[in-house]
Amino acid sequence: MRRRTIFFICLNVVLWSFFVHWIWVNGSSSMRGRKSGKLRFVDRILVHNLESGFAFSLQKSQKSGRWEAAWGDSSWPANAFAVERFYGELNDLFGKRKIGDNLSRCTHEVTIFSKNAPKNIKLNAEEAEAVLISANSSLSSGKISDDVALVGFLSSKIFSRVKDDCKIFKVKFDAGEFVFAKRNGRWFLDDLTAHLEVKCDLIANFLNEIFTLEAEGVCHSYDDPGQCNLSITLYGGNASERVDFLSSGEGLFFAENAAVDMFFFVEREKIFKIIDMARDLLKYQFFHALKCEDINVVLVASDEHFNFHDLKNQDKWQFTYSKKGKLLVREISKEYVNSMLEVLNQVESIGIVQDFYEEDKQFTITFSDGPDNSKTFNFYKVDEKLFVGIDGQGIKFEIKNSFCPMFFHILRSHAAKSEDVVL
């Protein structure tokens, strides 16, 4: 008897839980359906201003199935929530209409293309204002222009066409124009004269920042958007898009996507953060984790040569110094070499140049890890600035001038028995 009672109690609990879940799912669906009018069956909503002749469509993309706004020859991803609110208000208004209502003073006509029940709704000025404000809560009462009505349905995301499938992108700013390409899961600074790997986390942070960037507002035209501070072009599998970041003399900052004739208002701090992140992509660490058994340094003007050779099983390196027929050979500790490598590992570019005169070369450093594996770095000094280039790469990187005294102090200490080494 007791077991039967427990069984019925458990059965009632299960049935009651199922009932509550059914009410929640179906009740919520019915509420959403009342407001959205089963928007999933709608393919397109055409909004036509009968007075101005301007028309735009809210439609589902054939590729992604997501909502987009289209007008003239342009299109842009739509704010799905605004579309849903708009459609819900239209349904409510349509349901309140009575046969014989005077529709002679209508200013707008909305056509709904639906698999279930296509509709054509005419709105007077007050009704059009009400449904448009319901879609965009930032609008206020009063005559709503065509541009403002359209903008209320647009997504605030600035980069909209190329996302996860971005394999190549280009940045252009005062330092020049640079292309980054992804191959086999790795990113490279890649153009006709350079092929250098870039840290994946820097690329990931940069792309995440631009893909999540949202506008504070949108306008269709602006008299003087100002100068371009940064241009970013993304290339995906089947699409590309370019966004220019501009600043006006009035202290306003814009992003202009070339896909549409619009300006997006963006916070100043967000634009400068993206510019800084773009510059960080050019901070190349030349000597990071380099493996070598020989390090050769040559001072071009004085024809001085410094060589460090790993003696393998001994915890020592061989140091060789030569200048004008003089030769010095001595053993040095691995600690000395490690101190030099530590200085080199800290070297990071602070700028990039693409045109350079080779006659400005001051010294070279060559790292060798076997007879067929070597890499040479060429150092140049121009107008008190220090630059480094890699053999086979056309571009040159600016590095901090303070590298020279640190590095050559180490060389002098190794060549203590020789003449002073002077750069």
Side-chain angles (χ1 to χ4, degrees):
M1 187 69 180
R2 185 180 177 188
R3 289 182 178 176
R4 182 177 298 176
T5 302
I6 294 175
F7 172 80
F8 280 111
I9 291 174
C10 293
L11 181 61
N12 286 333
V13 170
V14 172
L15 292 174
W16 175 252
S17 299
F18 177 81
F19 176 73
V20 170
H21 178 74
W22 185 89
I23 290 293
W24 169 255
V25 173
N26 291 277
S28 299
S29 296
S30 64
M31 288 298 291
R32 289 193 301 269
R34 185 191 70 80
K35 198 65 179 174
S36 68
K38 297 181 179 179
L39 191 57
R40 62 184 180 276
F41 295 113
V42 176
D43 296 318
R44 182 175 173 232
I45 303 172
L46 176 64
V47 182
H48 184 199
N49 186 329
L50 300 174
E51 293 182 333
S52 68
F54 179 75
F56 67 90
S57 291
L58 304 170
Q59 57 196 30
K60 288 180 182 175
S61 169
Q62 294 180 352
K63 293 182 179 179
S64 65
R66 295 172 182 160
W67 285 95
E68 63 181 18
W71 66 100
D73 296 328
S74 301
S75 65
W76 192 257
N79 182 330
F81 296 107
V83 177
E84 184 170 320
R85 289 192 296 267
F86 179 62
Y87 185 58
E89 291 298 325
L90 286 173
N91 264 340
D92 288 348
L93 181 62
F94 190 79
K96 295 174 184 177
R97 282 277 167 82
K98 297 177 182 179
I99 298 176
D101 282 351
N102 184 9
L103 302 177
S104 60
R105 299 179 58 191
C106 290
T107 59
H108 288 73
E109 182 178 27
V110 180
T111 305
I112 300 170
F113 300 85
S114 171
K115 297 180 179 67
N116 286 353
K119 298 174 185 175
N120 184 274
I121 306 171
K122 290 188 176 181
L123 310 172
N124 59 37
E126 292 76 16
E127 291 171 332
E129 177 186 310
V131 294
L132 289 171
I133 289 177
S134 71
N136 185 359
S137 57
S138 65
L139 297 179
S140 57
S141 298
K143 185 174 176 59
I144 300 173
S145 68
D146 291 331
D147 286 353
V148 172
L150 171 61
V151 163
F153 290 101
L154 302 182
S155 168
S156 59
K157 291 291 180 64
I158 294 172
F159 288 84
S160 62
R161 283 167 167 73
V162 179
K163 294 217 170 178
D164 295 338
D165 63 340
C166 178
K167 297 295 186 296
I168 300 174
F169 69 89
K170 179 171 60 179
V171 296
K172 182 179 180 181
F173 52 128
D174 54 3
E177 184 174 273
F178 306 96
V179 176
F180 298 85
K182 186 177 184 181
R183 284 190 293 277
N184 299 321
R186 300 159 64 192
W187 281 93
F188 297 87
L189 172 60
D190 203 16
D191 60 26
L192 294 176
T193 61
H195 180 74
L196 303 171
E197 187 169 0
V198 182
K199 290 181 179 178
C200 280
D201 58 340
L202 290 178
I203 298 287
N205 292 337
F206 175 75
L207 293 178
N208 180 69
E209 192 68 27
I210 64 174
F211 288 150
T212 57
L213 182 64
E214 295 190 11
E216 293 185 300
V218 183
C219 66
H220 276 272
S221 61
Y222 198 81
D223 292 338
D224 183 18
Q227 65 177 3
C228 181
N229 302 299
L230 172 68
S231 179
I232 301 174
T233 306
L234 306 180
Y235 302 90
N238 299 306
S240 65
E241 64 181 329
R242 190 190 83 237
V243 173
D244 296 332
F245 294 90
L246 311 106
S247 58
S248 73
E250 301 174 357
L252 296 175
F253 293 85
F254 304 96
E256 182 184 15
N257 191 307
V260 287
D261 186 21
M262 293 189 301
F263 293 94
F264 297 85
F265 294 99
V266 185
E267 293 180 17
R268 176 185 183 276
E269 291 74 16
K270 291 183 178 180
I271 286 186
F272 277 88
K273 182 178 181 180
I274 290 175
I275 293 175
D276 288 340
M277 294 180 79
R279 294 185 191 280
D280 286 343
L281 299 179
L282 303 176
K283 290 182 178 179
Y284 187 71
Q285 289 183 298
F286 309 92
F287 310 105
H288 183 67
L290 270 178
K291 295 180 179 180
C292 63
E293 59 183 30
D294 272 286
I295 305 171
N296 196 54
V297 182
V298 178
L299 274 65
V300 176
S302 59
D303 194 29
E304 292 179 85
H305 295 255
F306 304 78
N307 178 261
F308 301 83
H309 176 68
D310 188 359
L311 295 177
K312 301 297 182 182
N313 294 332
Q314 307 174 47
D315 192 23
K316 292 184 179 296
W317 284 57
Q318 178 178 286
F319 171 70
T320 303
Y321 169 76
S322 64
K323 178 182 179 181
K324 297 179 180 179
K326 295 181 179 180
L327 182 66
L328 170 68
V329 180
R330 57 187 295 208
E331 286 187 355
I332 59 175
S333 70
K334 189 174 182 179
E335 181 182 351
Y336 275 100
V337 177
N338 287 341
S339 66
M340 181 174 65
L341 292 176
E342 184 178 344
V343 170
L344 292 171
N345 279 330
Q346 295 173 359
V347 175
E348 186 177 71
S349 60
I350 58 175
I352 283 185
V353 293
Q354 293 173 307
D355 296 318
F356 221 87
Y357 297 105
E358 290 295 318
E359 57 263 29
D360 293 318
K361 185 187 296 183
Q362 301 289 306
F363 63 98
T364 66
I365 303 176
T366 301
F367 295 85
S368 300
D369 187 24
D372 300 320
N373 187 13
S374 65
K375 183 177 286 188
T376 298
F377 298 86
N378 305 296
F379 292 79
Y380 308 83
K381 213 167 188 180
V382 181
D383 298 330
E384 301 306 316
K385 291 183 178 182
L386 186 63
F387 300 87
V388 59
I390 306 172
D391 267 3
Q393 312 284 356
I395 59 177
K396 305 293 186 293
F397 296 84
E398 183 182 356
I399 62 175
K400 291 182 179 178
N401 225 335
S402 58
F403 167 75
C404 279
M406 288 189 295
F407 181 66
F408 279 91
H409 170 73
I410 295 173
L411 286 182
R412 289 189 184 100
S413 66
H414 295 327
K417 294 182 181 179
S418 67
E419 299 175 16
D420 284 344
V421 179
V422 181
L423 175 61

